[in-house]
Amino acid sequence: MNRYSPAAVLLLSMGTLATASLTMAQTATSPATAAKPQEVINQDEAHVGSLPIPDPLTCADGTRVTSKEQWLEKRRPELFKLFESEMYGRTPERKLEGLRTEVLLENKMALEGKATQRLVRIYFTKADAPHLDVLVYLPNAASKEKPAGVFVGLNFGGNHAVTEDPAIPVPQGWFRNNKETGVTQNRATEASRGADARRWPIAEVITRGYGVATAYYGDLDPDFDDGFQNGVQPLFYKEGQTKPEADEWGSIGAWAWGLSRMADYLVTLPEVDDKRLAVLGHSRLGKTSLWAGAQDTRFSIVISNNSGAGGAALSKRHFGETVNKLNTNFPHWFNGNFKKYSMNEAALPIDQHELIALCAPRPVYVASATEDLWADPKGEFLGAKLAEPVYALFGKKGLGVSEPPAPDVSVGEALGYHNRTGKHDILLFDWEKYMNFAAKNWGN
Ligand code: GCU
C-alpha cells in the first residue's frame, strides 16, 4: 500500500504528481473542478510507504564512502548543505555586535544548598531587541578542577514553569494560550509557575553531578507564523530584506541558533566542562536539538525526545505526521524550499537518519513514546538505526539491535534508543536514560 488511494497510485505511476492523492470519485471530475488533493494519514505499519531510503554513504556523484576522512571531507558537507538549503534553512554566520550577558539573579544555595542557580540575560544587540533569558543550575560540587557536564535545552512554558521557585519572574513575551497552564491572551501568568516541572527534574540532574541550562524558545522566535518579524531573524536582514530567503532559516533554525548562544555563555564558566555539553529537546524542540547538534560540534551529546517528523523519524516511511502536515500547520518551522516536498517526499534528496549521521561520531540518543504514533516510534528508531554505518566509519557501535527494543528498554552505545510506555512527553524516566547515556559516553 502507498500513502495515496489506489487511483492516485495509478496517477502517480503516470507521473502526474500534482493530482496524486485524488480519490476514485474525484478522478471522475474534470481537472478544473477537481477538489484540492486530500492527504491520507497512515498510522498502520502494514501500510507504510515503499519509497527508497537514501544511503548516507553514497555521494551525489555516486562515489561510495569507505573512510571517516571521506565522510568528513566530502559526504558530510554535501549532506549538510542539503539539510540547510532544502529543510531547516541556512543559519546566518555573521556574529552580532553587542552580544553580552547580564546576571539577573543568583542563588548559591539553591536546591537545599546543592546547586547554584542563575538567571542570565543574553542580549543579542540593543536592549529593546529580542534577548534570551537562560536559567542555569550548576552543582555546587563542580569546580574549575572538576567541571560539570551540562544538559542544555529550550522549554515551552517559560523558565518560571520549569520550577516552583517564586524567584523566577513570569516572562512578558508571547505565549501560546493554554487553559491548563493558565496562559491567556498570549501572556504567561503566575498560574503557570511550575507547570512544566515534571519535564525538568532539576534536583535529580544535580544529584547525578550534572548541570541544567534552559530558556524559553519564544524568546528567540515566538511560535506562530508572523512572516518572521518578531524573532531574531530581523537582526540579520540585509538592507531591504523583510523575510528570510527560501533557503534561509525558519523558526527551528532560530531556536537552534539560540542553543548555540547558550553554549557560548556556558563555555565561559570555569565550573562547566566545555567538552560535556548535551543538547536536548522534546518534540518540536527535539527537532531543534538535532539541528543544533548537527551544526554545533560543541554539543558532544545530542538528544531527541519524541521529535517525530522533521526530527528523528524518517519522512519517506509515510507513518504519522507528514511533510505536508508540518508545512501546513507550522509553515514557519522550516524554510521556504521545504514546501516543495509537501505530498512529495519521493523528491526529498535526504532523510532524517542522515541528520543524525551529521552528528557522528558524537553520540545521539533518540527516544519515543508508545502512544505517540503521530511521531512514528518505529520511524524514530530507524532514524538512529540507519545512521549506524556512518558511526561504524569511526569505529563506533550504534544501537546493537536490529529491531526496536521492547517498551522501556534502553539500548545502544554511541547511538541510543528507548520507547517509553505512555504519551508524548518528556519525563524523569527519559532523563534517567539520558543521564545514563551521558555517563557512559562522557565516561563519568
Ligand atoms: C505537533 C506537531 C509535531 C510536534 C509537536 C510538538 O504535534 O505536529 O510535529 O513535534 O506538535 O512540538 O509538541
Side-chain angles (χ1 to χ4, degrees):
M1 215 333 247
N2 194 288
R3 57 182 307 180
Y4 305 111
S5 62
V9 173
L10 188 71
L11 284 169
L12 247 184
S13 61
M14 295 181 338
T16 50
L17 199 56
T19 46
S21 55
L22 296 180
T23 63
M24 280 287 194
Q26 284 165 336
T27 52
T29 61
S30 75
T33 57
K36 242 175 136 193
Q38 290 298 308
E39 191 178 26
V40 181
I41 296 294
N42 172 45
Q43 294 200 344
D44 181 348
E45 198 53 41
H47 293 161
V48 295
S50 52
L51 291 176
I53 308 295
D55 174 4
L57 295 183
T58 302
C59 299
D61 65 4
T63 317
R64 180 107 194 122
V65 176
T66 53
S67 71
K68 59 179 190 239
E69 290 76 21
Q70 239 180 328
W71 167 260
L72 291 171
E73 281 153 33
K74 180 167 173 151
R75 181 58 172 155
R76 187 187 185 281
E78 89 184 8
L79 273 175
F80 185 85
K81 275 215 166 65
L82 286 170
F83 279 102
E84 267 187 328
S85 69
E86 302 305 295
M87 195 168 179
Y88 301 98
R90 260 187 304 121
T91 306
E93 281 170 22
R94 182 160 64 81
K95 294 249 183 311
L96 292 171
E97 283 166 33
L99 206 105
R100 65 184 198 287
T101 53
E102 181 187 337
V103 178
L104 301 181
L105 68 89
E106 181 176 66
N107 174 6
K108 294 192 169 165
M109 293 303 286
L111 303 172
E112 295 162 354
K114 292 199 199 96
T116 292
Q117 171 206 55
R118 254 183 235 135
L119 186 63
V120 179
R121 179 161 294 176
I122 305 179
Y123 290 102
F124 302 128
T125 57
K126 291 181 275 166
D128 58 354
H131 48 250
L132 185 67
D133 284 353
V134 187
L135 179 62
V136 186
Y137 288 83
L138 295 176
N140 282 337
S143 62
K144 190 165 181 250
E145 292 68 39
K146 255 188 98 199
V150 179
F151 288 84
V152 186
L154 297 170
N155 65 66
F156 284 95
N159 293 332
H160 71 299
V162 309
T163 162
E164 301 286 349
D165 186 342
I168 314 293
V170 176
Q172 300 305 306
W174 183 94
F175 279 76
R176 190 172 291 280
N177 285 337
N178 185 333
K179 274 199 202 103
E180 277 169 41
T181 61
V183 179
T184 52
Q185 296 174 340
N186 299 116
R187 289 288 172 267
T189 63
E190 266 301 325
S192 47
R193 185 173 300 287
D196 277 348
R198 72 175 192 291
R199 290 182 164 178
W200 294 92
I202 297 167
E204 284 82 355
V205 179
I206 293 291
T207 302
R208 291 279 298 255
Y210 301 120
V212 182
T214 185
Y216 171 54
Y217 78 137
D219 279 3
L220 295 154
D221 190 14
D223 190 4
F224 65 96
D225 182 19
D226 77 325
F228 302 108
Q229 302 310 309
N230 60 6
V232 293
Q233 287 91 352
L235 304 181
F236 294 90
Y237 288 162
K238 294 188 225 80
E239 184 129 9
Q241 187 176 5
T242 55
K243 61 177 195 331
E245 304 288 343
D247 69 339
E248 288 184 316
W249 58 351
S251 297
I252 290 180
W255 300 331
W257 177 86
L259 286 162
S260 288
R261 302 295 70 79
M262 291 164 75
D264 293 345
Y265 165 69
L266 290 166
V267 299
T268 66
L269 304 176
E271 62 278 31
V272 168
D273 187 341
D274 59 2
K275 303 269 178 315
R276 291 179 178 157
L277 294 183
V279 64
L280 113 166
H282 168 59
S283 210
R284 67 199 67 181
L285 297 178
K287 309 181 207 301
T288 303
S289 66
L290 286 171
W291 181 230
Q295 294 180 90
D296 191 336
T297 56
R298 291 173 302 174
F299 294 121
S300 57
I301 290 184
V302 181
I303 300 164
S304 143
N305 190 87
N306 305 181
S307 63
L314 297 179
S315 304
K316 291 179 189 270
R317 231 170 79 81
H318 182 46
F319 188 108
E321 189 170 23
T322 61
V323 169
N324 181 50
K325 284 288 167 206
L326 288 170
N327 281 332
T328 313
N329 296 335
F330 311 101
H332 55 296
W333 284 1
F334 298 89
N335 71 6
N337 283 341
F338 194 51
K339 311 295 178 282
K340 293 189 289 205
Y341 305 104
S342 283
M343 296 213 261
N344 191 14
E345 280 90 347
L348 257 178
I350 41 180
D351 211 336
Q352 298 307 103
H353 59 307
E354 296 175 311
L355 175 67
I356 293 172
L358 289 181
C359 299
R362 290 168 293 138
V364 177
Y365 198 108
V366 172
S368 309
T370 54
E371 292 172 35
D372 188 15
L373 297 186
W374 185 239
D376 185 11
K378 181 153 184 206
E380 293 180 310
F381 169 82
L382 289 172
K385 179 73 196 159
L386 299 179
E388 278 180 343
V390 177
Y391 281 77
L393 294 175
F394 295 86
K396 297 270 177 189
K397 290 216 176 86
L399 297 176
V401 293
S402 48
E403 290 297 318
D408 303 324
V409 174
S410 172
V411 294
E413 290 194 15
L415 290 162
Y417 179 81
H418 72 255
N419 189 11
R420 174 180 45 74
T421 301
K423 291 193 184 6
H424 185 70
D425 208 343
I426 176 167
L427 301 173
L428 178 58
F429 178 91
D430 303 299
W431 277 88
E432 278 166 350
K433 304 296 169 274
Y434 303 149
M435 290 190 280
N436 295 344
F437 186 69
K440 185 160 59 183
N441 281 288
W442 282 340
N444 61 346

